[in-house]
Amino acid sequence: MEPLCIIPCGKKKIWDKQADVGPVAAREAYIGTFHRLCETYADHFKLDWVVLSAKHGFLLPKDIVPENYDLTFNQKSDQIVTGDFLANQVKNKRLDIFSRIIVLTGRKYKPFISAAFSSTNPEIAYPLEGCKGIGQMQQRLKTAVANDTPIHPGY
């Protein structure tokens, strides 16, 4: 079985361009450059993927995002999903079937991902860890797709 790829949501969303668009699938909701590069990477290497959102938790590509929001894991807010909420989603969305996880996010997501998968104990890889910033992360993703050379382990 291929690994599950976890990608970040991002601040820029479809409603920033089309305010009256209404609810949309997660695949359409997030339009920021980094998110799109992560999604392109996952699709290119034929990986199942989910978005990790501070507000909604794990979103499958077809899950509906009802409206615009501005919430990040860096904020202090009681609206941010908890580790327990994420762990329940792992079971309910059948993400517990994956024995390997590829995480294409920054450091701030790491404790949430660890908490979410603590009971299933998959192998978790962070191939963008060690990058010196978002620009280097984006370049690594672009190069991997352009050269058809994955950055995730086990390939």
Side-chain angles (χ1 to χ4, degrees):
M1 172 178 275
E2 292 297 322
L4 173 69
C5 189
I6 298 175
I7 64 177
C9 57
K11 181 173 177 64
K12 195 168 185 183
K13 299 172 188 70
I14 190 71
W15 299 278
D16 296 325
K17 284 190 167 189
Q18 301 172 21
D20 60 343
V21 76
V24 298
R27 179 181 283 282
E28 299 167 29
Y30 304 100
I31 61 171
T33 301
F34 185 59
H35 171 85
R36 287 290 183 204
L37 286 170
C38 291
E39 188 178 316
T40 298
Y41 178 90
D43 286 342
H44 180 82
F45 291 106
K46 297 176 178 39
L47 302 171
D48 289 315
W49 58 269
V50 293
V51 174
L52 180 51
S53 159
K55 182 169 181 73
H56 301 291
F58 293 113
L59 293 165
L60 298 166
K62 291 182 179 180
D63 285 348
I64 299 298
V65 181
E67 61 192 3
N68 202 1
Y69 65 95
D70 187 15
L71 190 66
T72 70
F73 286 108
N74 287 340
Q75 294 173 302
K76 293 201 184 296
S77 171
D78 59 359
Q79 293 182 20
I80 294 175
V81 295
T82 64
D84 287 342
F85 180 86
L86 293 172
N88 284 332
Q89 282 189 315
V90 165
K91 290 177 191 160
N92 295 337
K93 294 187 179 219
R94 306 260 312 126
L95 304 179
D96 55 354
I97 66 169
F98 294 93
S99 60
R100 296 184 318 149
I101 310 287
I102 306 302
V103 182
L104 301 179
T105 67
R107 287 185 300 264
K108 64 186 172 189
Y109 290 81
K110 209 169 189 175
F112 293 93
I113 292 167
S114 294
F117 289 93
S118 63
S119 68
T120 61
N121 201 27
E123 174 189 329
I124 302 176
Y126 296 85
L128 297 176
E129 197 168 52
C131 287
K132 291 181 172 54
I134 192 79
Q136 189 177 21
M137 290 177 178
Q138 290 175 348
Q139 188 58 46
R140 205 178 259 183
L141 292 165
K142 284 180 193 175
T143 301
V145 170
N147 296 337
D148 196 29
T149 307
I151 59 173
H152 63 275
Y155 226 70

